[in-house]
Amino acid sequence: EMVSRLSFDLFSCFFAIFVTRCLASTHRQVPRLGILSSSRDSISTETYLPPDFEVNYYTQTLDHFNYRPESYTTFQQRYIVNSRYWGGANTSSPIFVYTGHEGDVTRIPQIVGFMTENAPQFKALLVYIEHRYYGDSIPFGSIEAAFQNTSTLGYLSSTQALADYAELITYLMINWSAESCPVIAIGGSYGGMLSSWFRLKYPHIVIGALASSAPILYFDDITPQNGYFSVVTKDYKEASESCYTTIRQSWSEIDKIAALPNGLITLSKKFKTCEPLSSSEELKGTLEIMFVAAAQYDHPPNYPVNKYCDAIDGLPNGSDVLSRIYAAFDAGFPSGPCHHMYDFGQPNTSAWEWQTCTEMVFPIGIDNTTMFQSSPFDLKAYTNNCEAVFHVTPRPHWVTTEFGGHNIKSVLKKFASNIIFSNGLRDPYSIGGVLQNISDSVVAISTAQGSHCLDILNALPSDPEWLITQRNSEIKIVQGWIADYNAMLR
């Protein structure tokens, strides 16, 4: 079960911000911004949609921002509709729109319980829109054609995606005679970033946005580069001081053994790797991803950080550091006779990697104050890597130019409204989120024990009271937006 819950295959879940870092000559990565590492209630990884969810395709414009002949090319964009609970156009019942992230849209209805669980009381129409270049929404007819070169990949951006949502929602509202129905954008992680930006850029289309775990301030050095790993360190230190100390000591211990004759063979046997280790970085990178993924998705009732620390602290007194680390490693991935290492290659067929190599440049680094080895963010190495893989140069300042971020409190206070920024402070990405109220209607709702996108995931009977309270606060705010909208209509 833990294998599925903490799988490093974060693509099938939402919002993955795969942040690329370079350490020595090894390509290093931070867990994706995805909504969760896997579902909290063991939903099958196979796509399954109940009959209420109808899959549709919209003929979408390739390029919304210029009028060259090729811009009028179209592609089929997938979206899902659930009208079971909708009160109908004449009742001005709301439309909840999930702003698709970097993944397959058919997974979202299974995971984002906030929409389905609240649809009956709101009499809401549910719409889930797939992000271009993900799932089945692939321009140019195939992945091979879409990822052919920078010319075909060049239409993949957050601004094009937001324009897709605007065009599709407008079409649906006209088609359903629902022009007077209020639309609420909902998203998590990268999808949460999009939902907040959608409200800022298209306020005539959506009346409000719930942005869960949306690190819109982790750009352009607004947030300290080591912020992500500082929160990870805090999570482990709070769980167990001895666990934190063991993890901190393990990196130099791995390097020390790797430097010995046959040291990599020793480490390969110690960690039961399926293939012999080629470097100490391969093992350290895999362990790093394991520990940070546990912190990012430290969801109840499993709390993987505690699970790892219990394994580390559970060995008898006198156990060596790497035996303790292996105990955690084995607790996270207990199945099979051997353990696979994480693949740190950067494929040129990954849409998210393209986005991080163009506009989504998260300058995440590590300094010596965390429990990890120092690895400052190196924009030059990052750029060289992107140019080698995609033949494209990153634009690290574009997101703040396009969407803002600097002095956000004073800026948004002047013109923004109806946005909820929700965060769980155990989530390392929360350090790049909006954590203070900006105005009466641009609000921050945080929970000290919460993790990545937890508030919008499926509710469980075991959910703690603080999580229930957070969700109820969000529901009350959305109810207020809709009431105000309907009063204005009247």
Side-chain angles (χ1 to χ4, degrees):
E1 182 181 12
M2 279 301 296
V3 173
S4 65
R5 291 177 187 274
L6 286 177
S7 167
F8 289 157
D9 261 341
L10 305 180
F11 304 122
S12 62
C13 308
F14 317 153
F15 344 156
I17 286 182
F18 237 131
V19 179
T20 305
R21 297 186 296 111
C22 292
L23 179 61
S25 60
T26 304
H27 182 74
R28 307 289 296 282
Q29 294 167 319
V30 169
R32 295 190 131 208
L33 240 182
I35 272 196
L36 69 172
S37 60
S38 188
S39 61
R40 295 202 304 148
D41 45 358
S42 301
I43 290 172
S44 168
T45 54
E46 294 181 9
T47 299
Y48 168 73
L49 286 174
D52 293 335
F53 296 89
E54 179 186 336
V55 177
N56 300 275
Y57 289 85
Y58 173 72
T59 302
Q60 185 61 264
T61 305
L62 178 64
D63 184 0
H64 300 279
F65 301 113
N66 75 67
Y67 300 93
R68 297 168 63 188
E70 57 267 32
S71 299
Y72 288 84
T73 303
T74 60
F75 68 96
Q76 295 302 297
Q77 182 168 28
R78 185 165 59 173
Y79 67 98
I80 298 170
V81 175
N82 183 343
S83 60
R84 177 180 177 181
Y85 305 104
W86 193 33
N90 295 333
T91 63
S92 295
S93 296
I95 302 172
F96 290 168
V97 175
Y98 186 85
T99 48
H101 61 285
E102 69 299 12
D104 188 315
V105 74
T106 59
R107 290 279 294 161
I108 299 172
Q110 304 180 77
I111 299 170
V112 181
F114 187 90
M115 291 177 65
T116 50
E117 290 156 13
N118 289 295
Q121 66 168 310
F122 281 95
K123 297 182 179 178
L125 177 69
L126 306 180
V127 180
Y128 308 81
I129 307 177
E130 191 163 69
H131 193 297
R132 60 169 54 201
Y133 286 80
Y134 295 96
D136 273 359
S137 301
I138 306 295
F140 302 105
S142 69
I143 290 177
E144 292 74 21
F147 288 79
Q148 186 175 353
N149 52 45
T150 54
S151 294
T152 53
L153 272 170
Y155 299 101
L156 170 54
S157 70
S158 58
T159 49
Q160 294 281 9
L162 292 176
D164 288 343
Y165 303 155
E167 181 176 317
L168 178 50
I169 293 168
T170 301
Y171 161 79
L172 294 176
M173 292 177 75
I174 294 171
N175 200 42
W176 296 332
S177 302
E179 293 98 322
S180 62
C181 292
V183 179
I184 308 293
I186 297 171
S189 202
Y190 171 52
M193 296 163 69
L194 291 172
S195 69
S196 66
W197 291 337
F198 196 37
R199 170 60 183 164
L200 295 177
K201 292 288 187 180
Y202 296 92
H204 53 292
I205 292 177
V206 288
I207 70 159
L210 169 56
S212 175
S213 298
I216 63 169
L217 303 182
Y218 222 136
F219 296 97
D220 224 1
D221 289 327
I222 297 170
T223 296
Q225 291 189 4
N226 71 319
Y228 182 100
F229 284 90
S230 295
V231 176
V232 175
T233 299
K234 176 181 70 70
D235 290 349
Y236 281 89
K237 208 168 186 179
E238 288 175 355
S240 163
E241 187 81 27
S242 59
C243 172
Y244 150 79
T245 301
T246 299
I247 296 171
R248 183 172 182 130
Q249 292 172 345
S250 67
W251 315 114
S252 58
E253 191 68 20
I254 290 171
D255 285 337
K256 186 171 77 173
I257 293 175
L260 297 173
N262 297 319
L264 290 176
I265 296 174
T266 301
L267 289 171
S268 299
K269 290 178 179 177
K270 180 82 172 178
F271 285 86
K272 298 181 182 177
T273 64
C274 296
E275 300 291 336
L277 291 169
S278 58
S279 69
S280 63
E281 301 300 331
E282 188 179 7
L283 174 59
K284 289 190 297 182
T286 298
L287 291 170
E288 180 185 295
I289 288 286
M290 182 186 82
F291 288 129
V292 299
Q296 184 167 318
Y297 304 106
D298 198 30
H299 299 334
N302 295 315
Y303 294 111
V305 168
N306 287 340
K307 185 179 181 74
Y308 288 163
C309 283
D310 288 346
I312 287 172
D313 294 339
L315 264 59
N317 288 338
S319 299
D320 65 277
V321 167
L322 293 192
S323 293
R324 294 183 184 277
I325 295 297
Y326 178 74
F329 188 56
D330 199 45
F333 303 93
S335 62
C338 64
H339 299 296
H340 290 283
M341 295 293 99
Y342 194 84
D343 181 5
F344 292 99
Q346 187 180 28
N348 62 3
T349 56
S350 165
W352 183 249
E353 297 281 354
W354 166 268
Q355 289 193 256
T356 63
C357 273
T358 50
E359 58 179 353
M360 295 294 159
V361 181
F362 297 88
I364 294 180
I366 308 176
D367 65 16
N368 57 14
T369 64
T370 76
M371 68 180 189
F372 300 93
Q373 287 182 313
S374 180
S375 175
F377 177 77
D378 184 341
L379 180 58
K380 184 177 180 181
Y382 187 102
T383 299
N384 289 342
N385 187 72
C386 291
E387 290 175 344
V389 175
F390 289 108
H391 310 291
V392 69
T393 302
R395 296 179 181 175
H397 310 296
W398 175 243
V399 163
T400 55
T401 303
E402 174 68 9
F403 300 113
H406 295 285
N407 304 314
I408 194 165
K409 193 164 187 178
S410 61
V411 171
L412 292 192
K413 193 170 187 177
K414 294 173 184 174
F415 81 95
S417 63
N418 293 7
I419 302 174
I420 301 169
F421 291 102
S422 64
N423 282 280
L425 299 184
R426 292 185 69 79
D427 171 20
Y429 277 117
S430 67
I431 197 76
V434 177
L435 301 178
Q436 293 182 331
N437 289 348
I438 289 175
S439 67
D440 289 343
S441 69
V442 180
V443 298
I445 300 179
S446 303
T447 54
Q449 296 303 310
S451 44
H452 201 60
C453 301
L454 182 59
D455 57 315
I456 64 171
L457 302 184
N458 297 333
L460 300 180
S462 59
D463 282 341
E465 191 60 38
W466 53 261
L467 176 55
I468 296 170
T469 300
Q470 181 184 24
R471 289 183 179 133
N472 288 340
S473 298
E474 294 165 1
I475 291 166
K476 187 175 180 181
I477 291 169
V478 173
Q479 287 172 332
W481 294 344
I482 295 169
D484 290 345
Y485 174 85
N486 288 332
M488 182 183 65
L489 277 187
R490 289 193 295 272

